[in-house]
Amino acid sequence: MQDDFDVGTRLKELRQQFGLSQRQLAEAAGVPHGQISMIERNHSSPSVASLRKILGGLNMSMSEFFEPEAPSTQQVFFTPSELRDLTSALYQDNEAAQRMISIRQVGDAKAHGLQVLQEFYEPGADTGETMIEHEANEGGIVIEGELEITVGAETRVLKAGDAYLFNSREPHRFRNISDRPTRVVSACTPPYL
């Protein structure tokens, strides 16, 4: 992963490849036209939720956006070092967030139509006040620690052994409100990152 990934230039190149104006992409993604312009000129750094929404207008995953040349593989088994780090791409300009949340993907999610993730949340970690929404279904099991999960109007603190499963079109948020780290193994289909 490059440390100097240029989100604005990448978005502009993709938009032009798809033959869309900034306004057309904004309409397809359901975001203000000015937001596309600000991101492409690197005058604004989009939140994870905003970038997911914009990429939805291009029918593209976050992984495809940040790793366009990633080789497709039919690998079956993976060591921890072979998991794809998605967090560094999501929080490239925020070292504190990279220390608070780690999201690592098993293999080529798009090739299998299933995204399996290893998630780690430090105490105080939060996916953000802007709730996440995407076209998928997701579920997971808390392996260690506690995680507060909000789905729509319902909020619950899950402990080790507890699990969740929901339609990702419902606005959702993950927070570690405890004083110890939390580990989660999750899955999402179709892949959204």
Side-chain angles (χ1 to χ4, degrees):
M1 191 80 50
Q2 295 179 6
D3 290 336
D4 58 349
F5 190 90
D6 187 336
V7 172
T9 298
R10 173 81 172 132
L11 181 61
K12 183 176 182 178
E13 288 170 353
L14 287 169
R15 178 182 58 76
Q16 291 173 339
Q17 283 177 7
F18 282 86
L20 298 173
S21 68
Q22 289 179 345
R23 189 169 306 283
Q24 289 170 321
L25 175 56
E27 288 173 9
V31 300
H33 163 257
Q35 185 176 15
I36 303 293
S37 175
M38 293 291 286
I39 292 168
E40 286 186 358
R41 293 182 292 140
N42 288 313
H43 289 205
S44 172
S45 182
S47 68
V48 173
S50 293
L51 187 56
R52 276 193 192 122
K53 196 170 185 180
I54 292 166
L55 295 178
L58 297 172
N59 195 24
M60 174 175 279
S61 72
M62 295 282 275
S63 184
E64 291 172 301
F65 181 79
F66 285 106
E67 297 188 44
E69 305 303 321
S72 178
T73 178
Q74 294 304 315
Q75 183 176 349
V76 177
F77 303 106
F78 301 84
T79 63
S81 66
E82 292 173 316
L83 299 183
R84 181 182 293 172
D85 178 17
L86 300 179
T87 308
S88 60
L90 296 174
Y91 299 105
Q92 64 175 332
D93 295 328
N94 187 337
E95 288 182 28
Q98 288 185 40
R99 288 191 300 269
M100 298 289 280
I101 300 174
S102 171
I103 300 175
R104 300 179 62 193
Q105 177 180 289
V106 177
D108 187 341
K110 187 171 182 180
H112 294 280
L114 175 67
Q115 188 166 45
V116 179
L117 300 172
Q118 177 188 64
E119 303 180 36
F120 180 79
Y121 299 87
E122 289 283 357
D126 187 342
T127 57
E129 288 185 26
T130 301
M131 302 276 270
I132 303 166
E133 298 176 57
H134 50 95
E135 297 291 321
N137 290 289
E138 64 187 274
I141 299 173
V142 176
I143 304 301
E144 177 186 335
E146 298 178 2
L147 189 65
E148 180 192 81
I149 302 177
T150 300
V151 179
E154 191 174 346
T155 299
R156 182 171 295 176
V157 176
L158 301 184
K159 298 177 184 333
D162 292 341
Y164 60 92
L165 179 66
F166 62 90
N167 181 327
S168 308
R169 292 162 194 81
E170 286 287 322
H172 53 282
R173 178 183 187 181
F174 300 89
R175 296 190 320 150
N176 182 353
I177 57 173
S178 76
D179 60 356
R180 56 196 170 120
T182 299
R183 291 186 191 280
V184 176
V185 173
S186 67
C188 180
T189 185
Y192 72 98
L193 276 176

